[in-house]
Amino acid sequence: MRGLSSDFRTLFEGQAMHEKRPALSTSIDDLPVLTEMAGDRWGGDFGPLLADLFAAEDTSLMRALDGSVLAFRNADLRALSANRDLGNLPAPLLTEAFEASVGAESAFKRLAANHVFTMNPPSHGPMRQVFARQFMPNKVDRFRPAAIKATRRILAAASGRPEIDFLTDFSFRLTTGFWGELLGFSQAEVSELNSLVPHVSQAFSFIRTDEQTRLVERRAADYLALVSTGIQRSLDVGPPDYLVEMAAEFENAEVEKPDNIALMLAATLLDGFHTMAFGLTNVVHALLTRPEQWRAVQNDPALVPNAFHEGLRLAPPAVFTQRYALADVEHAGVSIPKGTPVTMFWLAGNRDPDVFPDPDAYDLARPVAGRTTFGGGIHLCPGRSVAKMVIETALAELTSPHIEVTVTGAADQWVPMSSMHELERMPVSIEAR
């Protein structure tokens, strides 16, 4: 669950500034202050903003006006990821804006509360494993036929049309079709998901009107009802083996947990629908805007995994997530008190020049090590392997000799002021040769 606390939202409304850090720092108050960021800098390719951040060589962690801590250097992100005293941002803090607009009985708050990514010990580990164990690297190949089927169905529907928006007409349809196939959803249910998921994803925008928040709230309620009901139906009528194993592990877990497995899976799979869609779009965008790289992958399918990793290094779908100090934490000489939010700026970690030479360049031969695309530590994305499999499956189909993909309009505008790295539009045509 990738969201933004309401207090943190105020940091993105002006011009980026920070003060130099003292030689020694013992408390958050001693950190350099990131006072504000302008909307035109929090988006796009983040290049100017990151150049400013990394230019201050003696600056590690930073402080925001609300008292939260910002980690942006690769080494700090990786070290903090491994610290078990940094947990997930609790759902009540994540959903403050929704409560303010729609009241305490918020459907989005209910969704967040049942999402694995807002749980903390002792529930977090066992509940995370319920999901993660079924999508380990050695298990995802059993889901590849569903990914191929969904990809080819969408390719057939898109081929010959003068123009489609790749994100809405291809990527979202692929993720909803893929998960719908695994969960036994009808085509009508998959179509409904296509209309719901993009609206629920607006929850990750920094700036919404009350009316927009209420729309997200209504769509979140519809999404949670549709997906949890569909999962429960699959469990009742003869579920696939992986759902049987999930349900058994859920029931046997002796920790506080959601009311049922269907509710937890529905909430957690929201990321499976929208983050995977953004990831696929960003990987394809990185190649299509570099025609020589697209041709390289066409000529050598073995480069598909390289294209996946490098595309998401430059444009990971999650710009950042927020962690939460479950106890007092000491890092790099800084004392982070219990209860402090810590913002993990993953995109910046992927562009750290200390780890990635020429960090803004696209390099298919770049080593994979050191990337922060999927977070790290005990919070490493549990769906990363299935996301990799689905995106690579789609990319292999799109770059095959019998498919031609052409950019048909401007595809360089990123949604501003969001915790997700999402293109506003990516117009393409797809032709089967």
Side-chain angles (χ1 to χ4, degrees):
M1 175 59 61
R2 298 166 173 88
L4 191 71
S5 67
S6 58
D7 288 341
F8 196 83
R9 193 172 286 121
T10 63
L11 304 180
F12 300 89
E13 298 173 352
Q15 183 178 1
M17 298 180 289
H18 63 267
E19 303 165 358
K20 189 173 180 180
R21 177 181 180 172
L24 294 176
S25 178
T26 57
S27 75
I28 291 175
D29 292 339
D30 294 325
L31 292 174
V33 180
L34 185 68
T35 55
E36 296 170 314
M37 291 183 190
D40 61 356
R41 303 192 77 191
W42 193 262
D45 66 359
F46 285 87
L49 171 62
L50 296 179
D52 283 352
L53 286 176
F54 288 119
E57 295 183 0
D58 61 345
T59 301
S60 182
L61 302 180
M62 302 188 79
R63 176 167 59 90
L65 292 178
D66 64 351
S68 63
V69 172
L70 174 73
F72 65 96
R73 293 190 183 277
N74 188 282
D76 294 310
L77 290 166
R78 296 175 72 181
L80 289 168
S81 294
N83 192 318
R84 291 180 174 268
D85 286 332
L86 275 186
N88 287 313
L89 189 72
L93 296 181
L94 182 71
T95 58
E96 288 174 334
F98 284 86
E99 284 198 68
S101 294
V102 302
E105 298 304 314
S106 162
F108 189 79
K109 180 180 178 181
R110 184 167 180 249
L111 189 155
N114 288 284
H115 198 299
V116 168
F117 297 165
T118 67
M119 296 179 188
N120 282 309
S123 297
H124 173 257
M127 292 299 98
R128 184 184 187 280
Q129 282 300 100
V130 167
F131 184 86
R133 203 182 306 279
Q134 300 304 319
F135 299 103
M136 303 277 283
N138 62 344
K139 291 189 175 183
V140 295
D141 264 355
R142 58 182 167 166
F143 304 124
R144 193 177 299 275
I148 294 172
K149 179 179 178 180
T151 301
R152 291 179 177 173
R153 182 171 59 242
I154 298 162
L155 279 172
S159 182
R161 293 174 59 182
E163 183 176 280
I164 66 168
D165 175 24
F166 190 86
L167 176 61
T168 58
D169 297 324
F170 193 99
S171 294
F172 272 126
R173 291 182 182 277
L174 173 58
T175 60
T176 57
F178 169 74
W179 289 111
E181 177 80 13
L182 295 193
L183 297 171
F185 285 12
S186 69
Q187 283 303 306
E189 290 170 325
V190 170
S191 295
E192 188 175 353
L193 276 173
N194 282 326
S195 66
L196 291 175
V197 173
H199 288 293
V200 181
S201 297
Q202 296 306 306
F204 307 105
S205 173
F206 298 164
I207 298 178
R208 295 184 308 273
T209 64
D210 284 345
E211 181 178 351
Q212 289 170 328
T213 297
R214 287 191 288 270
L215 176 60
V216 172
E217 171 72 11
R218 292 195 297 273
R219 297 299 180 261
D222 293 341
Y223 165 87
L224 202 56
L226 172 67
V227 180
S228 62
T229 299
I231 292 172
Q232 189 59 57
R233 181 187 62 230
S234 293
L235 286 166
D236 292 340
V237 300
D241 289 346
Y242 78 93
L243 271 184
V244 172
E245 293 172 13
M246 281 185 172
E249 189 167 3
F250 179 88
E251 291 301 325
N252 291 333
E254 296 181 351
V255 294
E256 184 178 352
K257 54 194 175 187
D259 291 340
N260 56 70
I261 181 66
L263 185 60
M264 188 186 79
L265 284 181
T268 302
L269 278 176
L270 176 61
D271 280 10
F273 289 116
H274 75 84
T275 307
M276 194 188 295
F278 297 153
L280 171 59
T281 302
N282 294 359
V283 166
V284 172
H285 175 264
L287 280 176
L288 283 177
T289 53
R290 298 168 176 85
E292 71 286 358
Q293 305 289 5
W294 181 271
R295 288 192 294 272
V297 177
Q298 282 183 314
N299 293 332
D300 184 2
L303 289 175
V304 165
N306 307 55
F308 167 83
H309 286 294
E310 185 67 349
L312 292 191
R313 183 190 67 82
L314 287 171
V319 176
F320 68 83
T321 57
Q322 283 187 288
R323 298 283 178 253
Y324 186 76
L326 302 175
D328 292 345
V329 172
E330 187 80 14
H331 175 76
V334 179
S335 297
I336 303 174
K338 178 180 178 180
T340 302
V342 179
T343 298
M344 308 287 276
F345 194 173
W346 305 116
L347 185 147
N350 272 350
R351 305 271 194 98
D352 189 334
D354 288 342
V355 179
F356 304 103
D358 197 5
D360 294 333
Y362 185 98
D363 183 0
L364 281 171
R366 195 186 296 272
V368 174
R371 297 162 196 249
T372 56
T373 300
F374 295 105
I378 62 172
H379 300 287
L380 187 66
C381 176
R384 66 194 181 282
S385 295
V386 71
K388 181 176 184 292
M389 182 274 291
V390 172
I391 292 173
E392 288 184 1
T393 297
L395 187 58
E397 293 284 332
L398 288 163
T399 57
S400 63
H402 65 278
I403 296 292
E404 181 177 355
V405 185
T406 306
V407 178
T408 56
D412 57 359
Q413 296 299 310
W414 299 84
V415 173
M417 307 293 284
S418 175
S419 63
M420 305 302 296
H421 206 35
E422 170 191 359
L423 280 164
E424 289 190 349
R425 193 164 184 271
M426 185 174 157
V428 303
S429 65
I430 298 177
E431 292 287 344
R433 296 173 179 173

